[in-house]
Amino acid sequence: MKLTVFGATGGTGRLIVQKALEAGYKVTAYARTPSKLDIKDEKLKIVQGELTELAAVASAIEGADAVLSGLGAVRGGSSEVMVPAAKSILAGMKKHNVKKLIWATGAGVPDSQDQPTFMNKVIGFLLKLTAKEVLEDSLAGVEMIKASDVDWVIARGPMLTDEPGSGNYRAGYVSKEMGRVLSRENFADFMLKQLESSEWLHKMPAISDEK
């Protein structure tokens, strides 16, 4: 299987690339600054470009069986990341008839099946106060994907950590059963598992480490 990974130099994206290669997948990593991806593997191809470069994005997607995105806003960077990425990636997937998309976003993006606790509501309120533009960008990107004709899974992560992945995590909806942190490695593991699964197809699971 051939994969195209966006956000490949980020904390989660790099782990997606690494784990995909270890699993034997061929990977095309799309990166603004390829030098940040210090992974060497004969199954890895790196394409340099901006998210707004439609031709470069489409070229990276050509020949892929699935696309994964670990993109997200970075501190001090632009708050407009997810919408431009969704536009370019969906256009590239349509051009090359690629159907499977696994998309990462934050747990602050709501789903109708969520049952938020009081603390979840407080965190959501704070996000709207302190990161309004980032949240709006994430929400709009998600809506674009949901309205598309691709086979999507939108994986929602809470506060991400760099702790080693234990493999012990849960997927469901925001509720009192869900934890508030998630190892990036566990997040990457969940996203890759969706390549061979239809359990969460056209759904927005929230993922968290086991409490």
Side-chain angles (χ1 to χ4, degrees):
M1 184 180 287
K2 297 180 180 179
L3 309 178
T4 300
V5 179
F6 290 87
T9 61
T12 303
R14 188 186 186 286
L15 287 166
I16 292 172
V17 171
Q18 182 177 311
K19 284 182 167 291
L21 292 169
E22 290 171 354
Y25 296 120
K26 293 182 179 179
V27 178
T28 296
Y30 192 83
R32 175 190 291 175
T33 311
S35 60
K36 290 183 178 180
L37 188 62
D38 57 346
I39 298 175
K40 306 296 182 185
D41 193 293
E42 62 182 11
K43 300 187 298 298
L44 174 63
K45 174 185 176 182
I46 302 178
V47 175
Q48 181 176 15
E50 300 284 343
L51 293 172
T52 52
E53 295 180 46
L54 291 175
V57 169
S59 176
I61 292 173
E62 184 176 8
D65 296 296
V67 174
L68 298 96
S69 171
L71 290 163
V74 297
R75 185 171 297 178
S78 173
S79 60
E80 296 181 2
V81 175
M82 309 302 259
V83 167
K87 285 180 180 177
S88 298
I89 291 170
L90 289 171
M93 292 178 69
K94 183 175 183 178
K95 180 176 181 179
H96 295 296
N97 196 33
V98 178
K99 289 298 184 182
K100 192 76 179 259
L101 175 61
I102 316 299
W103 183 270
T105 194
V109 173
D111 183 88
S112 60
Q113 296 193 62
D114 289 341
Q115 296 180 333
T117 64
F118 174 75
M119 185 55 67
N120 293 141
K121 293 177 181 179
V122 169
I123 293 171
F125 176 75
L126 292 174
L127 279 173
K128 290 177 182 178
L129 283 181
T130 61
K132 181 181 177 182
E133 292 180 348
V134 170
L135 181 59
E136 289 177 346
D137 179 57
S138 297
L139 288 165
V142 161
E143 288 305 313
M144 291 178 65
I145 292 165
K146 289 169 67 177
S148 74
D149 61 356
V150 303
D151 294 330
W152 53 265
V153 176
I154 297 172
R156 299 180 293 153
M159 185 174 72
L160 300 177
T161 75
D162 293 320
E163 294 296 317
S166 63
N168 295 319
Y169 54 84
R170 62 174 62 200
Y173 293 95
V174 175
S175 68
K176 63 182 180 181
E177 283 77 30
M178 298 300 294
R180 297 197 184 100
V181 298
L182 175 64
S183 157
R184 293 181 188 277
E185 190 172 352
N186 281 343
F187 202 14
D189 184 74
F190 174 82
M191 291 180 68
L192 284 168
K193 283 181 176 175
Q194 304 320 299
L195 295 170
E196 306 287 351
S197 172
S198 60
E199 179 182 3
W200 295 103
L201 189 62
H202 295 151
K203 296 178 182 178
M204 292 176 52
I207 324 301
S208 74
D209 291 336
E210 290 283 4
K211 293 182 179 179

